[in-house]
Amino acid sequence: MALQCLNGGRLIFNQTSNKSYCECNSCYEGIQCEEKDLTNSKIEFNLDKDRLIVYSIYLCLSLVNNLLSLTIFQGSKRIRRTNIGIYLIIYSCISLIGSILLVVGQSVQYFKPHPFANNEELSEVFYCFLEKSGYQITALLCLWLSALVALERSLIISFNFKMNATRRRSIVILVPFFCFTAIIGILFLFYRCVATTPDTEPYQRLTSGWIYTAAGLGGLIYFLATIFILISFSSHVYHYGTGGKSKKKIFFILLKKHLFIFIPSIVYVLCVVPYQIWFMFRSPRQAYFGCGISTAEYYYKIILQTLPNIPTIVTWCIFVYPSNVHMTEFYTNTWIGKRLAMCRIWM
């Protein structure tokens, strides 16, 4: 039986747990938001407005980060001709598209322009297609691309792969990834944005299975990259000696030197995991924005719920700034970088 949300509640589907739940408005509670909670003080919040404000801030940050990153990736031939450069150029473009989709989708939810003003069903379908399905696909692609960047860097460090030997490897890898994403996108459009019925439920589960596989594949790539790098560090310490220093100290020196490789994966874990942990351990009847929550808790939960969007926004901060190679190219091959370098000299 399809779960129906009452009293203005919104049906939310969590892809990690493959379960649907109702996000209740105001002081309603229950599995279908069917019960009114009269024991707590009623605090009214404009959730759509607040989300729009947060997503608009994220869009501004995304424009700054991704346009700066594209300036470097496009302006530096040394980076552009590498596999990593190809991945990051596509990552930045997809990140910008995802940020725009978030703002457009939430704007429709808040302003309800014609023809959505008097058609709640059309508004929800559009919201699902644009923000949920469209953004989920872009976020999934960004996860894969960031994992491929980590894998490429690990291959360079561990197996002495040449950075600029050929871009063929990136093209060969990206083709099946995009085909895989196209399948997920089609399943999303046909089965995620419709009501759950006995006929559609198996296909919705299939869609969730594809999503789990895709996210797990990104995590697996990150894991393999980490293993390759740690094995390389251990091999370096073992074969080339320690120069009078302890093996542990040499290992941590190497780890610190290559810390920029691990920053994207650390950011993904810190931003994505907290909300998923809450969802796993919540009560089935517990609404995320429950009745009577304080203003501080409300805004804390808004931030927690939107944290998974951060990794696709801060491209510059997690990929460019920590890398000495990319920052050198930034200061020598971009107009902004050259001006900043001159300012640093004057200071």
Side-chain angles (χ1 to χ4, degrees):
M1 181 179 177
L3 180 63
Q4 295 181 346
C5 300
L6 307 176
N7 299 309
R10 178 182 295 172
L11 184 64
I12 304 295
F13 184 84
N14 184 276
Q15 296 153 357
T16 302
S17 63
N18 194 31
K19 293 181 180 179
S20 298
Y21 69 96
C22 290
E23 186 179 274
C24 301
N25 293 329
S26 300
C27 284
Y28 290 95
E29 62 178 5
I31 296 177
Q32 296 178 280
C33 305
E34 73 279 8
E35 301 174 4
K36 191 170 184 179
D37 188 350
L38 301 176
T39 61
N40 295 319
S41 59
K42 185 175 180 181
I43 301 178
E44 293 286 354
F45 299 106
N46 193 330
L47 184 58
D48 287 332
K49 178 182 177 181
D50 294 333
R51 277 179 174 158
L52 179 59
I53 292 173
V54 173
Y55 290 158
S56 298
I57 294 172
Y58 283 177
L59 176 59
C60 293
L61 293 174
S62 178
L63 287 171
V64 172
N65 272 268
N66 288 296
L67 290 178
L68 270 176
S69 301
L70 285 172
T71 300
I72 302 172
F73 304 147
Q74 293 290 348
S76 172
K77 185 177 180 181
R78 182 184 177 189
I79 295 177
R80 193 172 63 250
R81 65 186 297 188
T82 64
N83 294 301
I84 293 175
I86 296 296
Y87 295 145
L88 290 179
I89 289 172
I90 299 174
Y91 184 99
S92 297
C93 295
I94 293 176
S95 297
L96 282 172
I97 294 172
S99 300
I100 293 171
L101 289 177
L102 279 178
V103 173
V104 173
Q106 196 60 45
S107 297
V108 171
Q109 284 292 105
Y110 177 64
F111 293 109
K112 301 290 185 185
H114 181 78
F116 304 102
N118 300 315
N119 194 330
E120 188 66 27
E121 182 179 355
L122 178 61
S123 177
E124 288 295 330
V125 171
F126 180 82
Y127 174 78
C128 183
F129 281 172
L130 188 66
E131 182 177 331
K132 290 195 171 296
S133 299
Y135 178 75
Q136 288 292 340
I137 295 301
T138 60
L140 194 59
L141 282 171
C142 287
L143 171 63
W144 284 345
L145 288 166
S146 64
L148 290 173
V149 170
L151 181 62
E152 189 72 21
R153 285 170 167 171
S154 70
L155 293 176
I156 294 170
I157 293 172
S158 304
F159 302 103
N160 294 321
F161 276 36
K162 293 182 179 180
M163 289 186 61
N164 57 354
T166 177
R167 289 171 291 186
R168 185 181 304 168
R169 183 166 64 250
S170 62
I171 304 300
V172 171
I173 292 175
L174 286 174
V175 168
F177 271 92
F178 279 112
C179 292
F180 191 73
T181 306
I183 295 173
I184 297 176
I186 293 171
L187 291 173
F188 247 122
L189 294 177
F190 280 97
Y191 300 113
R192 181 61 75 231
C193 298
V194 296
T196 302
T197 65
D199 293 332
T200 62
E201 186 174 0
Y203 297 101
Q204 290 179 340
R205 292 184 178 276
L206 176 63
T207 304
S208 298
W210 278 90
I211 295 171
Y212 293 146
T213 303
L217 183 59
L220 178 62
I221 294 173
Y222 263 126
F223 177 76
L224 290 175
T226 303
I227 293 299
F228 288 157
I229 293 172
L230 293 179
I231 290 176
S232 175
F233 290 170
S234 301
S235 176
H236 181 87
V237 173
Y238 180 78
H239 290 289
Y240 298 101
T242 60
K245 299 179 181 179
S246 68
K247 292 184 178 180
K248 178 187 277 190
K249 188 173 182 179
I250 292 296
F251 182 86
F252 281 105
I253 289 174
L254 291 171
L255 187 63
K256 182 179 178 181
K257 182 179 178 181
H258 297 87
L259 186 62
F260 68 95
I261 298 175
F262 302 99
I263 288 178
S265 58
I266 293 172
V267 171
Y268 265 98
V269 170
L270 293 178
C271 292
V272 174
V273 170
Y275 179 71
Q276 298 301 331
I277 290 178
W278 176 88
F279 194 91
M280 289 172 58
F281 293 101
R282 64 181 279 273
S283 167
R285 296 173 61 87
Q286 179 185 0
Y288 188 68
F289 296 101
C291 177
I293 64 174
S294 65
T295 303
E297 182 182 356
Y298 169 75
Y299 285 111
Y300 167 77
K301 285 189 172 182
I302 285 271
I303 294 172
L304 187 66
Q305 192 179 52
T306 57
L307 265 182
N309 304 313
I310 292 293
T312 59
I313 293 169
V314 291
T315 310
W316 165 273
C317 298
I318 64 177
F319 287 109
V320 177
Y321 185 75
S323 171
N324 291 330
V325 173
H326 289 163
M327 287 305 295
T328 300
E329 294 299 311
F330 172 69
Y331 285 126
T332 57
N333 291 296
T334 65
W335 182 87
I336 298 176
K338 291 177 181 178
R339 297 302 180 275
L340 289 176
M342 292 176 63
C343 292
R344 291 176 64 185
I345 294 174
W346 293 338
M347 294 174 62

